[in-house]
């Protein structure tokens, strides 16, 4: 049982009851898509969103590099149209706009869309699907480059969403989508990336099936290190002879098959490894507290709330957590009700251990906060198994 991972609690609501929902991942025996049940509507989850992409320096660097590469690779110019679905605070489209390329963001969260508009990124505040795509296409807007970064997982109706991508794509256009790779989630025990806001979890095998069912061909793929290991796929209209399937596609298909992602038993064995990680993390925290060591958290990401609630880690183990986003500071984590402070709190309290909840940003975090070593403090990374660094 877990609360919604991004439902942060304000101080005046600490005495109110909180909704918890079953957090159980299911796998389809036919297509092997991993999904959660839908307990809360996307409108309830995403209309006012606490996640702002621009608060991660490494993510901004990733976005700028992609914009530079894509503009050159697809020969984008002032006459081109780039559209991003789930464009958040304009973290990516700002780099295309700076090149004079026409951009449009689509995002359901009014609060983050307002920030994008301030950056000069026009943003349509709507949920994306077939209806929104038809509306834009009727107005003559078709995308030469249609982007979706870390949005596929948030879509409860995949068929409607991918149908919308097909509708909005220019006949010669390209779709690029980034999403955490299910193979890395399983192999590296990244169970904390499972939470209610993520309705689905994707292998290349499954994504290719979904896109093919809607007349889209996935012709290329790149492996990324973002979010613990992601894929960036490239798709076009089926039958587009100018974009043949690359060797990278063939190679990844074989890798997934060798790893067991095309066999149901691989998914069914995953749960036991999750339980082992939980026991090891609790053993570490119990031992640390018995030695009178202070332990705090770093970050307030959705994945951290899955980890803490699943393991039952509350104020008896962690004193607090810190986060660079001012939109989270002063609030409390859902379920565990741990207070969120600014990172300056670390210097003030000088903890012995800092449990890094956004472990996918470990290099960035340890570099920015290397000063904790001045008093002998150390970082703790919880997955794939707890380790101190």
């Amino acid at each position: 049982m877990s609360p919604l991972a991004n439902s942060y609690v304000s101080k005046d609501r600490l005495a109110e009851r909180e909704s918890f929902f079953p957090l159980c991942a299911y796998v389809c025996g036919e297509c092997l898509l991993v999904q959660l049940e839908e307990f809360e509507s996307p409108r309830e989850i995403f209309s006012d969103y606490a996640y702002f992409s621009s608060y991660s320096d490494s993510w901004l660097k990733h976005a700028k590099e992609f914009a530079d590469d894509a503009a050159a690779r697809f020969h984008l110019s002032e006459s081109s149209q780039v559209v991003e679905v789930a464009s958040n605070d304009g973290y990516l489209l700002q780099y295309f706009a700076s090149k004079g390329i026409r951009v449009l963001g689509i995002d359901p969260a009014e609060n983050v869309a307002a920030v994008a508009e301030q950056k000069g990124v026009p943003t349509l505040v709507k949920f994306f699907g077939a209806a929104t795509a038809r509306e834009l296409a009727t107005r003559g807007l078709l995308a030469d480059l249609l982007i979706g970064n870390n949005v596929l997982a948030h879509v409860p109706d995949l068929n409607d969403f991918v149908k919308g991508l097909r509708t909005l794509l220019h006949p010669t256009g390209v779709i690029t989508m980034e999403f955490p790779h299910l193979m890395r989630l399983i192999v590296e025990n990244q169970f904390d990336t499972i939470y209610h806001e993520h309705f689905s979890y994707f292998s290349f095998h499954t994504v290719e099936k979904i896109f093919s069912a809607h007349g889209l061909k996935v012709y290329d793929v790149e492996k990324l290190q973002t979010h613990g290991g992601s894929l960036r796929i490239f798709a076009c209209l089926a039958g587009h002879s100018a974009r043949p399937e690359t060797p990278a596609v063939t190679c990844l298909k074989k890798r997934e098959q060798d790893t067991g992602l095309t066999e149901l038993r691989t998914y069914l064995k995953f749960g036991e490894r999750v339980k082992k990680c939980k026991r090891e993390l609790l053993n570490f925290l119990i031992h640390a507290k018995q030695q009178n060591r202070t332990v705090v958290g770093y970050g307030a990401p959705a994945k951290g709330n899955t980890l803490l609630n699943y393991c039952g880690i509350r104020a008896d183990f962690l004193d607090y957590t810190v986060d660079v986003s001012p939109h989270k500071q002063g609030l409390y984590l859902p379920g565990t009700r741990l207070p969120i402070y600014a990172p300056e709190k670390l210097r003030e309290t000088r903890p012995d251990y800092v449990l890094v909840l956004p472990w996918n940003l470990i290099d960035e975090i340890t570099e920015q906060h290397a000063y904790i070593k001045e008093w002998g403090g150390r970082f703790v990374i919880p997955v794939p198994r707890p380790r101190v660094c």
Side-chain angles (χ1 to χ4, degrees), residues 116-144:
E117 291 278 359
Q118 292 170 8
K119 296 176 181 177
V121 175
T123 305
L124 177 63
V125 182
K126 278 195 173 184
F127 282 94
F128 181 79
T132 299
R134 283 194 300 270
E135 176 187 323
L136 293 171
T138 300
R139 287 162 37 191
L141 193 153
L142 294 175
D144 298 294

Side-chain angles (χ1 to χ4, degrees), residues 42-60:
R43 188 167 302 280
E44 180 68 24
I45 295 173
F46 298 115
S47 293
D48 185 64
Y49 205 41
Y51 179 73
F52 288 72
S53 299
S54 294
Y55 285 106
S56 169
D57 292 341
S58 60
W59 184 244
L60 286 177

Side-chain angles (χ1 to χ4, degrees), residues 301-378:
K303 62 164 61 75
N305 292 324
T306 290
L307 177 82
L308 298 178
N309 280 287
Y310 172 65
C311 295
I313 298 170
R314 292 175 171 78
D316 50 347
F317 288 118
L318 294 188
D319 297 344
Y320 61 82
T321 192
V322 301
D323 199 278
V324 295
S325 172
H327 301 280
K328 295 180 180 179
Q329 294 164 12
L331 299 176
Y332 294 77
L333 297 183
T336 62
R337 303 297 179 93
L338 291 168
I340 308 169
Y341 296 105
E344 289 73 25
K345 188 76 170 177
L346 296 176
R347 288 188 183 274
E348 178 186 332
T349 60
R350 300 164 70 91
D352 296 303
Y353 294 107
V354 178
L355 178 64
V356 179
L357 300 176
W359 44 260
N360 53 299
L361 302 176
I362 185 63
D363 292 337
E364 177 181 335
I365 291 167
T366 53
E367 180 180 346
Q368 291 176 348
H369 303 282
Y371 57 81
I372 77 161
K373 295 180 181 179
E374 294 173 6
W375 59 80
R378 303 180 72 183

Side-chain angles (χ1 to χ4, degrees), residues 180 185 190-195 198 201 227-228 302-303 306 359:
L185 186 155
Q190 299 170 359
F191 66 91
D192 53 344
T193 60
I194 298 174
Y195 45 89
H198 285 172
Y201 304 82
H227 295 285
K303 62 164 61 75
T306 290
W359 44 260

Side-chain angles (χ1 to χ4, degrees), residues 23-26 34-38 194-196 198-199 201:
L23 184 57
C24 184
Y26 297 89
V34 175
Q35 280 189 313
L36 305 184
E37 288 187 85
E38 181 183 346
I194 298 174
Y195 45 89
H196 296 104
H198 285 172
F199 294 101
Y201 304 82

Side-chain angles (χ1 to χ4, degrees), residues 230-243:
S230 298
L231 297 179
R232 177 189 290 146
I233 61 167
F234 298 80
C236 61
L237 297 184
H240 200 309
S241 59
R243 303 192 190 279

